[in-house]
Amino acid sequence: KVLYERGCRRAYEKRFELAIPDFEESYKLVKGLMNTGDSGSASQPDASTIALDLYDEYPKLLEWAGMGKHLRYDLDGASDCYEKCSDLDPTNAEIMVKRAGVKMDGGNYDDAIQLFESALTLDPSTADALLHRSNLYMLQSNGDAAKTDLESCIKLRPDFLLPRLRLATVLMGNNDLDGAKTILAHCERMDPQSSEVHSYLGEMYFAEGNLTDAKESFDTAIKLEPGNPTPYVNAALAVMNTPGVTGGPPDVASAMELLESAIKVDPMFHAAYVHLGQLKLSMAVNLSMASEVIALYDKGIKECRSPEELKDICSMRVLTVAQVEAGNALGMETINMA
């Protein structure tokens, strides 16, 4: 229980990188004691006593442990924690939403839809269910359904920033840049210090072809939330699409530095490996530099979060290996013919 209470204190202080391990270790200890059926001693309480002691907090402990497992992409472990939590608290709609999120990440969209519907049946005002179901609809290219859910979410929670940002994305996808701009301007007034607001603004500017403002917005997002890898990658893309001062090539070194920073803050961020590998390969002046791309992909393979990511990066690795081996066999100094 000491670990659980320390985890709560750290979570309150937003020190989640320390809180999550406390919750997971607390859950591991309680689970182990319950499984062994330890009868205890005069100085060591038995498993049943510990369970009773944690009774009120146990569902919350399961929820936190599930969140930690989900963040590490241990989907089976996260599902196990969340399902046990639902068994103890079957009317908790928010847990249903988290279970649905795990199903989404595992590609089980039908199961996720059913869980979202169960959550909304339990509590029609569950804004998170509408928000995350809209994400699923967007993955299914169902923009109209996503828009409907987001508009309903905003009606329920006018102060909720994220559905407004997602709605702007839907509008951008429909080429309604003016509508997206109006929404994002409102979001910026709501929270000018939000990293996500500036990231979305950058994406809108990028869609407009306004690369200068796009890069500036992504840079602001990075300053506001240095631990978020997405704006690093987006800033790198903005750099690579911006010609040099005299109309020459873009600032490749800056783009690579941004992509390397994205991997540093989140070693599991797949998009950073993809773009950095492609960029390094295009700039390789000899086979040794091309071989470094293979090592980068090897690192990325170890950090993949889904079968789709693994297939993607393995395909790129196979192609790179084939190019390097062909270059060696033909006595070439580089695989780039430009």
Side-chain angles (χ1 to χ4, degrees):
K1 191 171 182 180
V2 171
L3 283 167
Y4 171 77
E5 291 176 344
R6 187 174 70 180
C8 289
R9 184 175 67 254
R10 287 172 166 175
Y12 177 78
E13 296 168 350
K14 296 185 177 181
R15 298 162 67 195
F16 297 110
E17 74 285 357
L18 298 176
I20 293 295
D22 280 349
F23 292 127
E24 290 193 309
E25 185 62 24
S26 178
Y27 171 62
K28 180 180 177 182
L29 290 171
V30 174
K31 183 180 178 182
L33 287 168
M34 289 181 173
N35 287 341
T36 59
D38 190 348
S39 59
S41 63
S43 60
Q44 180 68 38
D46 63 17
S48 60
T49 301
I50 292 174
L52 287 171
D53 192 32
L54 273 173
Y55 182 78
D56 291 337
E57 295 94 341
Y58 191 51
K60 198 65 181 176
L61 172 60
L62 286 167
E63 184 178 351
W64 277 111
M67 187 182 303
K69 293 177 185 298
H70 194 178
L71 288 171
R72 290 202 317 277
Y73 230 75
D74 176 3
L75 301 184
D76 289 339
S79 285
D80 181 60
C81 287
Y82 287 146
E83 286 169 10
K84 287 177 179 177
C85 194
S86 278
D87 290 341
L88 293 170
D89 191 2
T91 62
N92 189 327
E94 293 294 340
I95 294 299
M96 291 280 188
V97 173
K98 291 180 179 179
R99 288 173 58 190
V102 175
K103 296 294 185 184
M104 278 180 61
D105 285 345
N108 300 318
Y109 293 166
D110 290 341
D111 289 346
I113 286 288
Q114 290 180 2
L115 285 164
F116 284 133
E117 290 176 351
S118 296
L120 290 166
T121 298
L122 283 170
D123 183 0
S125 67
T126 307
D128 280 343
L130 293 166
L131 174 65
H132 293 294
R133 189 172 67 177
S134 76
N135 291 344
L136 192 154
Y137 286 142
M138 290 171 72
L139 290 172
Q140 296 177 322
S141 300
N142 189 347
D144 290 339
K147 186 172 181 286
T148 298
D149 270 1
L150 290 167
E151 289 171 342
S152 298
C153 186
I154 291 168
K155 287 179 182 177
L156 284 171
R157 291 272 307 278
D159 61 332
F160 198 1
L161 193 63
L162 201 49
R164 295 180 186 272
L165 295 174
R166 298 282 167 79
L167 182 56
T169 299
V170 171
L171 295 178
M172 280 189 272
N174 293 335
N175 292 317
D176 182 3
L177 295 182
D178 288 339
K181 189 176 294 187
T182 299
I183 289 173
L184 292 174
H186 180 75
C187 290
E188 189 174 15
R189 289 194 296 272
M190 288 176 66
D191 187 357
Q193 297 302 308
S194 167
S195 171
E196 286 189 290
V197 168
H198 291 282
S199 282
Y200 278 80
L201 280 167
E203 290 176 21
M204 182 196 66
Y205 289 132
F206 195 100
E208 287 184 325
N210 183 350
L211 298 174
T212 300
D213 285 348
K215 175 65 165 54
E216 184 178 331
S217 292
F218 294 139
D219 287 345
T220 300
I222 290 169
K223 290 177 183 177
L224 291 170
E225 190 180 358
N228 181 358
T230 302
Y232 290 96
V233 172
N234 287 337
L237 294 177
V239 169
M240 287 307 299
N241 281 275
T242 303
V245 178
T246 59
D251 187 351
V252 176
S254 292
M256 286 200 289
E257 184 178 347
L258 285 162
L259 292 168
E260 288 165 351
S261 294
I263 292 172
K264 184 176 180 180
V265 301
D266 185 355
M268 298 176 72
F269 198 61
H270 178 68
Y273 290 100
V274 171
H275 292 295
L276 183 58
Q278 292 173 341
L279 188 54
K280 280 180 172 288
L281 195 61
S282 71
M283 299 301 296
V285 296
N286 54 52
L287 295 180
S288 177
M289 291 178 66
S291 296
E292 292 175 5
V293 178
I294 298 173
L296 174 70
Y297 289 151
D298 286 338
K299 178 182 177 182
I301 285 169
K302 296 176 183 178
E303 302 290 353
C304 285
R305 295 172 296 185
S306 70
E308 291 76 19
E309 290 183 357
L310 182 60
K311 180 180 178 181
D312 189 30
I313 202 166
C314 281
S315 296
M316 292 187 295
R317 184 187 187 280
V318 167
L319 289 173
T320 306
V321 169
Q323 288 177 294
V324 172
E325 290 181 348
N328 281 320
L330 294 171
M332 298 167 60
E333 293 183 359
T334 177
I335 59 176
N336 290 320
M337 295 293 98

